[in-house]
Amino acid sequence: NAGVTQTPKFQVLKTGQSMTLQCAQDMNHEYMSWYRQDPGMGLRLIHYSVGAGITDQGEVPNGYNVSRSTTEDFPLRLLSAAPSQTSVYFCASSYRQGWGTQYFGPGTRLLVL
Amino acid sequence: ELKVEQNPLFLSMQEGKNYTIYCNYSTTSDRLYWYRQDPGKSLESLFVLLSNGAVKQEGRLMASLDTKARLSTLHITAAVHDLSATYFCAVDSTGGGNKLTFGTGTQLKVEL
């Protein structure tokens, strides 16, 4: 199993550009989530999904869109990048049943100029 | 709004010493997670605590949960350099394990 994979690993954007961060998992997990990590602030939940076709907002959803058309994929879209979105983005997945431990991807470092 | 506070934020300790990291949270929850993060890396799950009084141990690390006090501790016994990392606690606000609120992390440095 590859686990949770994310692409790209690093991206530089100009203000106003849009892009999609990719996340995929091969563990057949129902739950998937996106977090951003900023220095001194821990991780904050952006959006999450409890299954294909179902998404919901987390703590900091503004400026981001998600969709979940398959169990495996959960892309995060930045509509119009802003410098405040410079961060490290982590995707995570977990089983619906059980202990709920989330498995994290390697992260995407995003710099918005 | 659920708030999760960790202390200390930074911890420098010598090898062989013991120390405890504290995680306080503001609302009722019976699911608490501890993660480790090495610099520039992703998060690795350490412990899942699912009930009041739960205690888990792995090597030199031991985690406990007191849901009545809304407090979890991560105790380090006889620290070694390899334990140097940032440690996060996270609380599940939904009961389903998919909506975590993280503490700000404790950066641990174990001096040789």
Side-chain angles (χ1 to χ4, degrees):
Chain A
N1 284 351
V4 180
T5 58
Q6 292 183 237
T7 57
K9 291 184 179 180
F10 181 70
Q11 182 72 45
V12 179
L13 290 179
K14 295 181 179 179
T15 297
Q17 288 184 316
S18 63
M19 78 161 294
T20 299
L21 280 63
Q22 302 292 342
C23 174
Q25 53 91 10
D26 61 358
M27 297 174 282
N28 203 31
H29 286 168
E30 296 92 342
Y31 290 169
M32 296 187 75
S33 306
W34 276 102
Y35 295 86
R36 60 177 288 174
Q37 183 176 28
D38 301 297
M41 299 189 72
L43 280 78
R44 292 180 292 168
L45 182 64
I46 304 171
H47 286 285
Y48 65 100
S49 169
V50 298
I54 306 170
T55 64
D56 204 349
Q57 296 181 350
E59 182 184 353
V60 287
N62 292 341
Y64 307 95
N65 272 356
V66 293
S67 61
R68 182 105 178 264
S69 57
T70 66
T71 299
E72 295 78 20
D73 300 299
F74 191 41
L76 178 71
R77 298 182 189 85
L78 279 69
L79 308 174
S80 178
S84 61
Q85 294 179 304
T86 293
S87 188
V88 180
Y89 292 86
F90 289 100
C91 179
S93 71
S94 63
Y95 287 113
R96 181 175 61 185
Q97 303 297 331
W99 310 124
T101 298
Q102 292 201 6
Y103 296 86
F104 283 81
T108 294
R109 294 183 176 274
L110 178 66
L111 174 62
V112 182
L113 301 174
Chain B
E1 179 187 352
L2 172 60
K3 292 191 181 298
V4 181
E5 294 184 349
Q6 284 182 239
N7 67 83
L9 298 182
F10 299 97
L11 178 56
S12 180
M13 54 192 300
Q14 291 181 329
E15 280 199 329
K17 300 292 187 181
N18 304 333
Y19 211 84
T20 300
I21 299 171
Y22 297 89
C23 175
N24 292 273
Y25 54 98
S26 61
T27 63
T28 302
S29 175
D30 59 1
R31 282 179 179 244
L32 190 136
Y33 304 81
W34 283 96
Y35 288 89
R36 168 182 171 146
Q37 185 179 38
D38 293 301
K41 303 294 186 181
S42 186
L43 280 78
E44 172 191 356
S45 177
L46 292 175
F47 300 109
V48 180
L49 303 170
L50 298 177
S51 61
N52 186 42
V55 178
K56 294 281 185 73
Q57 183 164 6
E58 180 73 31
R60 300 174 187 274
L61 300 178
M62 183 174 71
S64 65
L65 177 62
D66 181 343
T67 58
K68 294 180 181 178
R70 299 175 185 170
L71 171 69
S72 179
T73 60
L74 180 66
H75 186 73
I76 303 158
T77 301
V80 293
H81 180 68
D82 286 350
L83 290 179
S84 297
T86 299
Y87 294 84
F88 291 95
C89 65
V91 178
D92 172 24
S93 60
T94 66
N98 63 304
K99 194 173 181 181
L100 298 184
T101 300
F102 280 80
T104 52
T106 296
Q107 187 176 334
L108 172 66
K109 184 175 183 180
V110 182
E111 306 281 359
L112 290 170

PDB file of all heavy atoms in Angstrom, chain B residues 43-56:
ATOM      1  N   LEU B  43       3.095  13.736   9.943  1.00  0.00           N
ATOM      2  CA  LEU B  43       2.746  13.367  11.307  1.00  0.00           C
ATOM      3  C   LEU B  43       2.627  11.852  11.427  1.00  0.00           C
ATOM      4  O   LEU B  43       2.038  11.188  10.576  1.00  0.00           O
ATOM      5  CB  LEU B  43       1.427  14.000  11.726  1.00  0.00           C
ATOM      6  CG  LEU B  43       1.492  15.456  12.155  1.00  0.00           C
ATOM      7  CD1 LEU B  43       1.580  16.372  10.949  1.00  0.00           C
ATOM      8  CD2 LEU B  43       0.276  15.825  13.001  1.00  0.00           C
ATOM      9  N   GLU B  44       3.150  11.356  12.537  1.00  0.00           N
ATOM     10  CA  GLU B  44       3.113   9.923  12.824  1.00  0.00           C
ATOM     11  C   GLU B  44       2.267   9.701  14.064  1.00  0.00           C
ATOM     12  O   GLU B  44       2.476  10.343  15.097  1.00  0.00           O
ATOM     13  CB  GLU B  44       4.532   9.410  13.069  1.00  0.00           C
ATOM     14  CG  GLU B  44       4.618   7.973  13.558  1.00  0.00           C
ATOM     15  CD  GLU B  44       6.008   7.612  14.031  1.00  0.00           C
ATOM     16  OE1 GLU B  44       6.915   8.453  13.918  1.00  0.00           O
ATOM     17  OE2 GLU B  44       6.184   6.495  14.534  1.00  0.00           O
ATOM     18  N   SER B  45       1.301   8.803  13.978  1.00  0.00           N
ATOM     19  CA  SER B  45       0.446   8.523  15.122  1.00  0.00           C
ATOM     20  C   SER B  45       1.221   7.789  16.215  1.00  0.00           C
ATOM     21  O   SER B  45       1.915   6.819  15.953  1.00  0.00           O
ATOM     22  CB  SER B  45      -0.745   7.666  14.679  1.00  0.00           C
ATOM     23  OG  SER B  45      -1.552   7.339  15.790  1.00  0.00           O
ATOM     24  N   LEU B  46       1.084   8.280  17.456  1.00  0.00           N
ATOM     25  CA  LEU B  46       1.725   7.634  18.596  1.00  0.00           C
ATOM     26  C   LEU B  46       0.706   6.859  19.438  1.00  0.00           C
ATOM     27  O   LEU B  46       0.878   5.684  19.711  1.00  0.00           O
ATOM     28  CB  LEU B  46       2.401   8.683  19.474  1.00  0.00           C
ATOM     29  CG  LEU B  46       3.609   9.407  18.902  1.00  0.00           C
ATOM     30  CD1 LEU B  46       4.085  10.496  19.869  1.00  0.00           C
ATOM     31  CD2 LEU B  46       4.737   8.435  18.606  1.00  0.00           C
ATOM     32  N   PHE B  47      -0.317   7.572  19.891  1.00  0.00           N
ATOM     33  CA  PHE B  47      -1.284   6.961  20.789  1.00  0.00           C
ATOM     34  C   PHE B  47      -2.693   7.421  20.453  1.00  0.00           C
ATOM     35  O   PHE B  47      -2.904   8.541  20.015  1.00  0.00           O
ATOM     36  CB  PHE B  47      -1.008   7.352  22.247  1.00  0.00           C
ATOM     37  CG  PHE B  47       0.342   6.932  22.761  1.00  0.00           C
ATOM     38  CD1 PHE B  47       1.324   7.884  23.002  1.00  0.00           C
ATOM     39  CD2 PHE B  47       0.628   5.606  23.004  1.00  0.00           C
ATOM     40  CE1 PHE B  47       2.568   7.512  23.472  1.00  0.00           C
ATOM     41  CE2 PHE B  47       1.866   5.214  23.473  1.00  0.00           C
ATOM     42  CZ  PHE B  47       2.841   6.177  23.708  1.00  0.00           C
ATOM     43  N   VAL B  48      -3.642   6.521  20.716  1.00  0.00           N
ATOM     44  CA  VAL B  48      -5.058   6.845  20.655  1.00  0.00           C
ATOM     45  C   VAL B  48      -5.639   6.524  22.023  1.00  0.00           C
ATOM     46  O   VAL B  48      -5.548   5.387  22.488  1.00  0.00           O
ATOM     47  CB  VAL B  48      -5.781   6.022  19.579  1.00  0.00           C
ATOM     48  CG1 VAL B  48      -7.259   6.392  19.545  1.00  0.00           C
ATOM     49  CG2 VAL B  48      -5.145   6.232  18.221  1.00  0.00           C
ATOM     50  N   LEU B  49      -6.228   7.502  22.675  1.00  0.00           N
ATOM     51  CA  LEU B  49      -6.805   7.332  24.009  1.00  0.00           C
ATOM     52  C   LEU B  49      -8.308   7.511  23.885  1.00  0.00           C
ATOM     53  O   LEU B  49      -8.777   8.566  23.466  1.00  0.00           O
ATOM     54  CB  LEU B  49      -6.210   8.356  24.975  1.00  0.00           C
ATOM     55  CG  LEU B  49      -4.675   8.323  25.085  1.00  0.00           C
ATOM     56  CD1 LEU B  49      -4.166   9.515  25.873  1.00  0.00           C
ATOM     57  CD2 LEU B  49      -4.227   7.026  25.741  1.00  0.00           C
ATOM     58  N   LEU B  50      -9.048   6.487  24.254  1.00  0.00           N
ATOM     59  CA  LEU B  50     -10.473   6.462  23.933  1.00  0.00           C
ATOM     60  C   LEU B  50     -11.393   6.536  25.138  1.00  0.00           C
ATOM     61  O   LEU B  50     -12.621   6.549  24.964  1.00  0.00           O
ATOM     62  CB  LEU B  50     -10.794   5.201  23.132  1.00  0.00           C
ATOM     63  CG  LEU B  50     -10.088   5.090  21.789  1.00  0.00           C
ATOM     64  CD1 LEU B  50     -10.428   3.764  21.133  1.00  0.00           C
ATOM     65  CD2 LEU B  50     -10.508   6.248  20.880  1.00  0.00           C
ATOM     66  N   SER B  51     -10.870   6.543  26.339  1.00  0.00           N
ATOM     67  CA  SER B  51     -11.774   6.580  27.482  1.00  0.00           C
ATOM     68  C   SER B  51     -11.078   7.170  28.691  1.00  0.00           C
ATOM     69  O   SER B  51      -9.847   7.241  28.750  1.00  0.00           O
ATOM     70  CB  SER B  51     -12.274   5.170  27.814  1.00  0.00           C
ATOM     71  OG  SER B  51     -11.183   4.337  28.157  1.00  0.00           O
ATOM     72  N   ASN B  52     -11.870   7.563  29.665  1.00  0.00           N
ATOM     73  CA  ASN B  52     -11.314   8.131  30.881  1.00  0.00           C
ATOM     74  C   ASN B  52     -10.433   7.100  31.580  1.00  0.00           C
ATOM     75  O   ASN B  52     -10.811   5.946  31.734  1.00  0.00           O
ATOM     76  CB  ASN B  52     -12.430   8.575  31.815  1.00  0.00           C
ATOM     77  CG  ASN B  52     -11.894   9.313  33.028  1.00  0.00           C
ATOM     78  OD1 ASN B  52     -10.995  10.135  32.901  1.00  0.00           O
ATOM     79  ND2 ASN B  52     -12.434   9.015  34.189  1.00  0.00           N
ATOM     80  N   GLY B  53      -9.241   7.538  31.972  1.00  0.00           N
ATOM     81  CA  GLY B  53      -8.327   6.643  32.655  1.00  0.00           C
ATOM     82  C   GLY B  53      -7.450   5.827  31.731  1.00  0.00           C
ATOM     83  O   GLY B  53      -6.612   5.048  32.190  1.00  0.00           O
ATOM     84  N   ALA B  54      -7.632   6.005  30.421  1.00  0.00           N
ATOM     85  CA  ALA B  54      -6.829   5.232  29.473  1.00  0.00           C
ATOM     86  C   ALA B  54      -5.351   5.580  29.621  1.00  0.00           C
ATOM     87  O   ALA B  54      -4.988   6.739  29.798  1.00  0.00           O
ATOM     88  CB  ALA B  54      -7.290   5.510  28.050  1.00  0.00           C
ATOM     89  N   VAL B  55      -4.529   4.555  29.565  1.00  0.00           N
ATOM     90  CA  VAL B  55      -3.080   4.718  29.628  1.00  0.00           C
ATOM     91  C   VAL B  55      -2.466   3.836  28.542  1.00  0.00           C
ATOM     92  O   VAL B  55      -2.803   2.658  28.432  1.00  0.00           O
ATOM     93  CB  VAL B  55      -2.507   4.325  31.002  1.00  0.00           C
ATOM     94  CG1 VAL B  55      -0.980   4.457  30.991  1.00  0.00           C
ATOM     95  CG2 VAL B  55      -3.104   5.187  32.103  1.00  0.00           C
ATOM     96  N   LYS B  56      -1.601   4.425  27.754  1.00  0.00           N
ATOM     97  CA  LYS B  56      -0.914   3.675  26.706  1.00  0.00           C
ATOM     98  C   LYS B  56       0.586   3.928  26.849  1.00  0.00           C
ATOM     99  O   LYS B  56       1.003   5.052  27.165  1.00  0.00           O
ATOM    100  CB  LYS B  56      -1.377   4.131  25.317  1.00  0.00           C
ATOM    101  CG  LYS B  56      -2.843   3.825  25.009  1.00  0.00           C
ATOM    102  CD  LYS B  56      -3.035   2.409  24.621  1.00  0.00           C
ATOM    103  CE  LYS B  56      -4.459   2.121  24.189  1.00  0.00           C
ATOM    104  NZ  LYS B  56      -4.742   2.696  22.850  1.00  0.00           N
TER     105      LYS B  56
END
